[in-house]
Amino acid sequence: MKKTDLPKLRSFEKRWCTYLSPVGMLKIAEDDEGITLIEFSDEKEEHEPEEGSLYLETALKQLQEYFTLERKEFDLPLSLHGTEFQKRVWRALCGIPYGQSASYQEIAAAAGDIKAARAVGMANNRNHIVIVIPCHRVIGKDRSLTGYGGGLDKKKYLLDLEGIKYKE
């Protein structure tokens, strides 16, 4: 692969790899402070972590353990890039335990603004560290499925993997 064939990286991504997970290809990136990105990718082939990567191998291992039901919590340093409100939402999402769900209103309250349920939805949509920041665990107050950037099929898979009940 020539250097010009590599996907364009955002300014905060330093090193990256891909991982073919049960829900499709994931692109994982890091900077010097932690994981900056885990998102669904159109990449066709797996790309191994580059030599000198600080967190990518650990992220790959922990994701593999998650998908084989050996891991329920992630222990990765994250380098979050977003507004202060988005970061509060993403931290609140990390507080949803494995196998449980929360509504947008519950996350809004945990982020400090009970009336910000719609803004929580937008912050979920801007979450660039899927699975580890478990935006898939946010469902409607009536337990119905709500949107998911990766598609509802991937959300259903992740919820089913964790044993979370929902209404279709």
Side-chain angles (χ1 to χ4, degrees), residues 80-92 110-112 119 123:
L80 301 177
H81 297 268
T83 68
E84 285 309 310
F85 178 77
Q86 288 170 336
K87 290 176 186 179
R88 285 197 319 267
V89 169
W90 299 334
R91 287 184 194 104

Side-chain angles (χ1 to χ4, degrees), residues 32-130:
D32 294 339
E33 295 175 23
I35 296 296
T36 60
L37 177 88
I38 300 175
E39 68 181 11
F40 301 105
S41 172
D42 293 332
E43 292 289 318
K44 303 293 185 235
E45 297 177 15
E46 284 192 273
H47 176 79
E48 296 292 319
E50 298 170 24
E51 196 170 314
S53 66
L54 302 172
Y55 311 107
L56 296 178
E57 301 244 353
T58 303
L60 285 169
K61 180 178 186 290
Q62 289 189 18
L63 284 165
Q64 290 166 346
E65 292 169 349
Y66 169 81
F67 284 113
T68 58
L69 303 175
E70 299 171 51
R71 175 173 294 278
K72 294 183 179 185
E73 294 180 15
F74 291 93
D75 181 24
L76 293 169
L78 303 179
S79 180
L80 301 177
H81 297 268
T83 68
E84 285 309 310
F85 178 77
Q86 288 170 336
K87 290 176 186 179
R88 285 197 319 267
V89 169
W90 299 334
R91 287 184 194 104
L93 293 172
C94 289
I96 307 170
Y98 179 97
Q100 295 182 33
S101 62
S103 70
Y104 289 95
Q105 283 182 325
E106 290 169 324
I107 297 302
D113 187 351
I114 189 82
K115 296 177 182 176
R118 280 204 169 136
V120 164
M122 291 305 296
N124 270 6
N125 190 41
R126 301 268 191 272
N127 173 20
H128 294 292
I129 306 178
V130 300

Side-chain angles (χ1 to χ4, degrees), residues 103 139-146 166-167:
S103 70
I139 60 177
K141 194 166 39 171
D142 64 353
R143 310 224 33 91
S144 62
L145 286 180
T146 54
Y166 55 88
K167 289 191 324 190

